[in-house]
Amino acid sequence: QKEVEQNSGPLSVPEGAIASLNCTYSDRGSQSFFWYRQYSGKSPELIMSIYSNGDKEDGRFTAQLNKASQYVSLLIRDSQPSDSATYLCAVIMAYKLSFGAGTTVTVRA
Amino acid sequence: GAGVSQSPSNKVTEKGKDVELRCDPISGHTALYWYRQSLGQGLEFLIYFQGNSAPDKSGLPSDRFSAERTGGSVSTLTIQRTQQEDSAVYLCASSFNLREAFFGQGTRLTVV
């Protein structure tokens, strides 16, 4: 079992729609969860962090965490062409920052 | 510093040569991570430092790879006798106490 798994994608959404990204993780004791955005040829950029169960909203982004289900998600509302990128789920497990393989999102104008 | 700094930005080396990649973390960050990303692929974990010690070296691909961190700050990743399959972008990230990690701009290594 991979430590961090993401829905494989790619995900194509029309401009203005909601993009939904999912992630599961293997270590029930994990406490820190992150979403990164990576544009082609660039390094990953942190967009959201979440540490407790529930929802966390920042602008058009909402992160959701359910530790009992070992599940974390990211919603992108009112998707824009500039949101087209690969989104990486990351979890700190046993002090190591582990990443999923990423989901590529394309927003169609 | 204001952010994580990596040098050089680009490195072209001949097969068989040794290379050193440097990472300057954000000041005060205790954890430092090295990853490798080949073209079109995900992040491959290499090694993690907490302070100057490396609790997890499990990702180093072979004994040609080594890394150290001194003074709880700067880290160097060394690749000996480089091979063409070592060509990739090497990324460094730092964080403080299991909080958000921030990446440098990466070093693009090309072995010819």
Side-chain angles (χ1 to χ4, degrees):
Chain A
Q1 180 190 6
K2 292 182 182 177
E3 293 180 325
V4 182
E5 295 206 54
Q6 297 184 238
N7 45 337
S8 57
L11 181 64
S12 179
V13 298
E15 186 173 355
I18 295 175
S20 177
L21 305 171
N22 302 315
C23 174
T24 57
Y25 57 95
S26 60
D27 184 355
R28 184 171 292 277
S30 299
Q31 297 294 324
S32 304
F33 309 86
F34 311 99
W35 285 97
Y36 288 81
R37 176 176 63 197
Q38 187 175 27
Y39 292 115
S40 181
K42 301 294 186 182
S43 58
E45 171 194 12
L46 179 72
I47 55 171
M48 288 289 283
S49 60
I50 188 165
Y51 302 98
S52 54
N53 281 330
D55 295 358
K56 179 181 177 182
E57 187 175 315
D58 184 359
R60 295 184 296 109
F61 298 101
T62 299
Q64 299 173 317
L65 174 62
N66 184 326
K67 290 184 181 180
S69 300
Q70 295 174 237
Y71 172 89
V72 59
S73 67
L74 179 71
L75 297 177
I76 307 173
R77 292 184 304 281
D78 188 22
S79 295
Q80 301 297 308
S82 60
D83 295 327
S84 297
T86 297
Y87 290 81
L88 302 166
C89 174
V91 181
I92 293 184
M93 295 190 287
Y95 303 97
K96 183 176 96 175
L97 183 60
S98 297
F99 283 85
T103 301
T104 299
V105 174
T106 301
V107 180
R108 309 187 303 270
Chain B
V4 179
S5 178
Q6 292 187 245
S7 60
S9 297
N10 283 284
K11 176 73 176 178
V12 179
T13 189
E14 291 181 353
K15 178 181 172 181
K17 299 283 190 183
D18 298 352
V19 294
E20 282 191 355
L21 312 179
R22 177 186 168 106
C23 174
D24 258 295
I26 293 171
S27 178
H29 277 194
T30 52
L32 186 148
Y33 304 86
W34 283 99
Y35 298 88
R36 178 169 73 173
Q37 190 170 36
S38 300
L39 190 63
Q41 302 300 307
L43 294 174
E44 176 188 3
F45 170 80
L46 297 179
I47 190 169
Y48 148 70
F49 288 92
Q50 179 65 32
N52 290 335
S53 64
D56 191 339
K57 303 180 182 179
S58 63
L60 294 177
S62 73
D63 59 7
R64 296 187 295 105
F65 287 73
S66 63
E68 65 174 13
R69 188 180 186 194
T70 55
S73 182
V74 172
S75 176
T76 303
L77 177 68
T78 301
I79 309 173
Q80 296 178 311
R81 305 181 302 282
T82 51
Q83 304 295 312
Q84 288 186 328
E85 62 262 28
D86 299 334
S87 295
V89 175
Y90 290 80
L91 292 161
C92 173
S94 71
S95 72
F96 177 73
N97 282 358
L98 306 181
R99 306 295 287 186
E100 298 86 349
F102 298 93
F103 281 84
Q105 82 281 14
T107 294
R108 183 175 300 278
L109 175 67
T110 304
V111 181
V112 298

